[in-house]
Amino acid sequence: MSGDLVIDVRGLTKRFGALTAVDDLALNVPKGAIYGFLGPNGSGKTTTIRMVCGLLKPDAGEGRVLGHNVLTESAAIKARVGYMTQRFSLYEDMSIRENLEFIARLYELGDIDGRVERSLEQLGLASRAAQLAGKLSGGWKQRLALAACMIHEPELLLLDEPTAGVDPKARRDFWDQIRKFSEDGVTTLVSTHYMDEAVQCDYIAYIAFGKKLLDSPTREIAARVGLHAWRVAGPDLGALAHALEAAPGVDFVARFGVELHVVGADEAALARAVESVRARPGVTIERIPAGLEEAFISLMARAPEAVR
Amino acid sequence: MSGFSFARLKAVFFKEFVQMRRDRLTFAMLIGMPVMQLLLFGYAINNDPRHMPAAVEIREDGVFARSFLAGLSQSSYFDIVARTTSEAEGERLMRSGRAAFLIVIPEGFERRLVRGERPQILISADATDPVASGGAVSAVQEIARRAFARDLEGPLARLAPSPAPFEIIVHRRYNPAGITAYNIVPGLLGVILTMTLTMITSIALTREIERGTMETLLATPLRPEEIMIGKTAPYILVGAIQVALVVTAAMTLFRIPFSGSAPIFVLAVTLFVFTNLMLGYLISTVARSQMQAMQMTFFVFLPSMLLSGFMFPFRAMPAWAQGIGEALPITHFLRMVRELMLKGAGAADIWDDLWPLAIILAALSAAALLRFRRTLD
Ligand SMILES: Nc1ncnc2c1ncn2[C@@H]1O[C@H](COP(=O)(O)OP(=O)(O)OP(=O)(O)O)[C@@H](O)[C@H]1O
Ligand SMILES: [Mg+2]
């Protein structure tokens, strides 16, 4: 089984003083998959990614990344992994081309000029090659960072919130790119806070307080979380929301534009709660499948109890 | 796993150059600082040094010679470090810097003294450090007069009245005119190199950490020794420019002779440049921020100015201060440069300071590699 797993680690634990940033975490990422890594701020996503690529030494745990021992063979892992940091971490006082050339040389690649040229083309950076990285806008910086971590054609991409602060068009381009890499057999572990990105992943792991709460193929998540949802629309949404939130059986009410999504784990109680507002003038209700977003809001709301 | 890679080292090396080129202010500082300091320090700092190491060359032993020597060693000005009867040995002691003074009592001194022929006592002073030699030389006259007055009693009392029954000939060696710039300018070379090179490499790693780029570097196959050499080597060039600048100024502006061996000088300077770069780099593996690195550099810089023999004559310092001084790279460098530029010394003469410097360099590099954190924690 582990033959197909690019990341296969268990029991990963990292402590910073009294804080356990990552606690007994296991990750199984199959080859070619896009693996989404979700969780609130400070939940340990960056820390986990850093342990996987050998930038942090785990306090406990074992396993293999690309077939190499994650504890002892970080040099071999680094040579085959592309890591895009959460914070832009290329040289702002060097041009796009200089940055790419520098990184390419560190991997001792052949035909550096050709490679840099292709990478500039591929990511649409060619026209700006001579521009200093520090002068680029956020979206362009992201592109450069992705180009840099791809330059040595890694088999595993670790992307830490690669699209934070990037406009929707650039984000879509970015994901098209990732999808293309995936089709070529590149495995991707990507952390994100965006639901529209999460749904594009093949698998999703959700962590909170350093613990993994959920790990499943994306389309099974809502079912696994065991949620039911209704759509409620009508005049005076605020009053409606208040009434619903107070009703038994409703876990939470989320507002989407001009409608409310009413979510709960207890199917029967939820149905009764929604029925109770149906009689109000102009209100329409409709049963809908629970989506990812509902699942994560619910997970986050439940997280503290689940962990403690 | 993967071994040392020259290609990766080269990548880091050229990257530093690209960044150096963009950082004009720092580069201007590296070149401007030597010029400024040269002009500022062209003037001397005066004091009255004591406990200067002296050697005596006694070609003929006798009552008066011994009495004079006793007087010398009782005075706080001199410490007698060697006695010899050979002229060649006396010369060697001076050139290697073990003795700052050589006091020669010639053959037939006693006989001629008794005959009232006013024989000569020859004192050679190492005037490469004129401040150090000045006070001590004038003290000799007084010491000699008193020592002889005590002995010239009884039948010899007739010799006692002034003028003294002997003559003291002072011979200022290496710097006959006692020009302070001769001392200050070569010393300044050491100070400039210490200050700028240590400072610039002290931020080598802290800057990468503060800017977040360390995370990128550590995620690549780069090895610690490749980072260390790649990040420090570009500044060898900066050091070379500074040396050329100071030496040129020394010879043209201050007319300081260069009498030693040029290849040996280059060797000594190169070793010293490496040592400073490593010292800075070690600081950068310890410091947590660029600010901290600067503070630590100053912590090194202060004793380098005060305890190295740059500001105050080394031999006149208390033992503990000399102990600290011996551990500082600049102390050894100052001695070598003065011996090379002013005394015409060769490899054999500076060996005493060459090997301690090499050991300091090796220790600093080893410590820096040990301190290097391969991970972010
Ligand atoms: N070097 C460190 N020293 C001390 N504490 C740290 C360190 N790095 C991370 N932490 C702590 O570990 C916890 C997990 O941090 P981590 O950066 O992994 O979270 P994250 O899931 O990436 O959060 P975000 O979504 O905000 O990026 C946080 O509480 C953080 O403060
Ligand atoms: Mg993070």
Side-chain angles (χ1 to χ4, degrees):
Chain A
M1 146 154 182
S2 74
D4 298 313
L5 290 180
V6 169
I7 300 180
D8 179 16
V9 293
R10 294 163 290 285
L12 278 192
T13 301
K14 183 72 194 177
R15 295 183 200 93
F16 296 111
L19 174 86
T20 304
V22 175
D23 191 2
D24 193 22
L25 191 105
L27 268 183
N28 297 310
V29 180
K31 183 167 167 44
I34 300 178
Y35 211 94
F37 209 30
L38 277 73
N41 292 136
S43 54
K45 301 182 294 294
T46 301
T47 307
T48 304
I49 292 175
R50 284 173 172 171
M51 283 193 284
V52 167
C53 68
L55 279 175
L56 282 176
K57 199 147 197 65
D59 293 316
E62 55 169 0
R64 297 194 164 262
V65 173
L66 292 161
H68 301 291
N69 187 314
V70 72
L71 297 180
T72 58
E73 295 177 296
S74 47
I77 295 173
K78 284 173 185 176
R80 297 169 61 191
V81 167
Y83 170 41
M84 179 170 162
T85 53
Q86 179 169 359
R87 174 185 158 193
F88 182 73
S89 62
L90 289 165
Y91 294 91
E92 306 218 333
D93 51 355
M94 300 192 349
S95 71
I96 291 181
R97 184 190 301 279
E98 284 162 348
N99 268 296
L100 290 177
E101 281 175 355
F102 172 58
I103 301 293
R105 291 202 184 101
L106 293 185
Y107 289 97
E108 298 184 85
L109 305 171
D111 183 27
I112 295 204
D113 290 345
R115 213 180 262 268
V116 167
E117 224 44 67
R118 279 195 299 281
S119 154
L120 287 170
E121 291 296 331
Q122 196 175 17
L123 289 139
L125 291 166
S127 59
R128 295 166 173 261
Q131 198 169 338
L132 290 189
K135 300 257 173 354
L136 294 172
S137 73
W140 286 102
K141 276 185 180 163
Q142 302 299 95
R143 285 191 206 201
L144 170 58
L146 183 68
C149 78
M150 287 298 303
I151 195 113
H152 60 296
E153 292 166 18
E155 292 149 77
L156 171 62
L157 274 179
L158 302 174
L159 310 176
D160 197 358
E161 292 187 35
T163 57
V166 173
D167 72 46
K169 161 85 167 68
R171 264 170 57 195
R172 186 156 341 111
D173 292 350
F174 195 96
W175 274 90
D176 286 346
Q177 194 62 249
I178 302 291
R179 180 63 58 200
K180 230 176 275 166
F181 291 147
S182 168
E183 281 158 15
D184 294 341
V186 176
T187 311
T188 306
L189 176 65
V190 52
S191 77
T192 179
H193 288 296
Y194 297 112
M195 286 308 140
D196 60 327
E197 294 186 356
V199 295
Q200 301 204 46
C201 298
D202 305 320
Y203 299 86
I204 286 178
Y206 184 87
I207 72 170
F209 301 98
K211 284 204 163 90
K212 192 167 73 177
L213 301 185
L214 180 86
D215 188 353
S216 104
T218 306
R219 68 182 86 78
E220 293 170 24
I221 284 187
R224 286 225 193 161
V225 175
L227 286 182
H228 307 277
W230 290 78
R231 175 165 52 214
V232 177
D236 196 5
L237 278 182
L240 266 178
H242 275 301
L244 285 164
E245 268 163 0
V250 176
D251 285 356
F252 63 91
V253 178
R255 192 164 173 162
F256 287 85
V258 294
E259 57 192 43
L260 299 173
H261 289 194
V262 187
V263 184
D266 182 337
E267 191 171 6
L270 184 68
R272 278 196 297 279
V274 176
E275 285 296 336
S276 72
V277 296
R278 172 178 228 156
R280 298 189 182 196
V283 168
T284 60
I285 63 170
E286 183 192 354
R287 181 82 205 246
I288 53 168
L292 260 188
E293 189 119 6
E294 284 87 30
F296 287 117
I297 294 172
S298 153
L299 273 173
M300 265 185 239
R302 286 192 224 158
E305 303 112 68
V307 172
R308 288 187 191 123
Chain B
M1 181 71 226
S2 61
F4 182 85
S5 152
F6 192 69
R8 287 196 300 257
L9 189 161
K10 241 173 53 192
V12 177
F13 180 83
F14 284 117
K15 179 217 100 184
E16 290 296 316
F17 265 114
V18 170
Q19 292 188 293
M20 209 194 294
R21 217 178 58 213
R22 301 264 149 76
D23 192 0
R24 299 237 174 81
L25 190 70
T26 304
F27 195 76
M29 183 201 81
L30 290 176
I31 303 303
M33 195 135 96
V35 176
M36 205 176 80
Q37 289 192 325
L38 258 176
L39 298 177
L40 288 180
F41 274 94
Y43 306 94
I45 304 141
N46 222 333
N47 65 355
D48 186 21
R50 311 232 162 194
H51 294 288
M52 305 303 297
V56 284
E57 182 183 324
I58 307 174
R59 307 233 188 101
E60 186 192 278
D61 209 1
V63 171
F64 297 113
R66 266 180 259 139
S67 168
F68 174 51
L69 287 185
L72 277 182
S73 35
Q74 275 160 23
S75 94
S76 57
Y77 279 103
F78 298 99
D79 288 340
I80 308 292
V81 294
R83 270 161 215 261
T84 173
T85 54
S86 127
E87 193 177 341
E89 174 67 8
E91 177 63 23
R92 205 189 55 72
L93 286 167
M94 279 296 276
R95 207 176 46 221
S96 68
R98 273 194 60 206
F101 292 89
L102 179 66
I103 297 157
V104 182
I105 298 183
E107 278 156 69
F109 180 83
E110 307 253 334
R111 189 166 27 88
R112 299 178 62 203
L113 183 74
V114 174
R115 282 198 207 145
E117 287 177 4
R118 299 199 78 223
Q120 298 177 335
I121 295 174
L122 180 70
I123 299 180
S124 297
D126 181 344
T128 54
D129 189 345
V131 180
S133 58
V137 166
S138 45
V140 172
Q141 312 267 357
E142 181 61 19
I143 292 165
R145 212 178 48 75
R146 274 198 234 141
F148 284 83
R150 221 180 315 124
D151 282 333
L152 296 174
E153 281 164 2
L156 296 175
R158 65 184 166 86
L159 296 172
S162 55
F166 52 86
E167 199 178 346
I168 292 178
I169 307 287
V170 176
H171 183 184
R172 288 178 189 272
R173 303 278 303 274
Y174 313 123
N175 181 8
I179 302 169
T180 10
Y182 278 27
N183 172 51
I184 292 282
V185 173
L188 209 49
L189 179 59
V191 169
I192 288 165
L193 291 175
T194 300
M195 193 164 182
T196 52
L197 297 181
T198 307
M199 192 181 287
I200 202 73
T201 47
S202 76
I203 57 167
L205 293 179
T206 40
R207 192 172 65 168
E208 301 267 357
I209 291 170
E210 273 182 20
R211 294 187 180 176
T213 47
M214 197 66 192
E215 194 166 2
T216 300
L217 293 185
L218 289 177
T220 71
L222 265 175
R223 295 172 59 89
E225 57 273 28
E226 292 158 7
I227 297 182
M228 178 169 96
I229 301 172
K231 283 192 75 71
T232 51
Y235 297 100
I236 295 172
L237 191 84
V238 172
I241 296 175
Q242 293 179 329
V243 172
L245 215 65
V246 175
V247 171
T248 310
M251 295 173 75
T252 55
L253 249 56
F254 297 97
R255 311 228 167 269
I256 296 175
F258 189 99
S259 53
S261 142
I264 302 293
F265 177 78
V266 170
L267 174 76
V269 168
T270 310
L271 194 63
F272 183 61
V273 166
F274 283 160
T275 310
N276 279 321
L277 292 174
M278 276 308 131
L279 180 60
Y281 192 77
L282 177 63
I283 289 176
S284 129
T285 62
V286 178
R288 300 231 158 240
S289 64
Q290 294 190 59
M291 190 64 205
Q292 240 183 38
M294 288 291 169
Q295 290 167 340
M296 288 183 185
T297 307
F298 260 84
F299 198 72
V300 170
F301 187 60
L302 224 62
S304 293
M305 288 272 278
L306 300 178
L307 304 182
S308 62
F310 173 71
M311 286 279 213
F312 312 112
F314 191 79
R315 306 288 191 183
M317 297 191 311
W320 63 266
Q322 292 198 18
I324 298 174
E326 292 288 350
L328 298 169
I330 187 173
T331 305
H332 300 282
F333 179 71
L334 288 187
R335 289 186 205 147
M336 289 195 289
V337 167
R338 284 175 185 164
E339 280 157 27
L340 283 165
M341 282 185 82
L342 305 174
K343 299 195 202 172
D349 300 307
I350 62 160
W351 176 243
D352 277 357
D353 288 303
L354 209 55
W355 69 259
L357 197 53
I359 288 181
I360 294 174
L361 172 61
L364 290 173
S365 321
L369 279 178
L370 282 178
R371 282 283 321 173
F372 187 87
R373 292 181 291 265
R374 283 163 183 265
T375 56
L376 288 170
D377 38 1

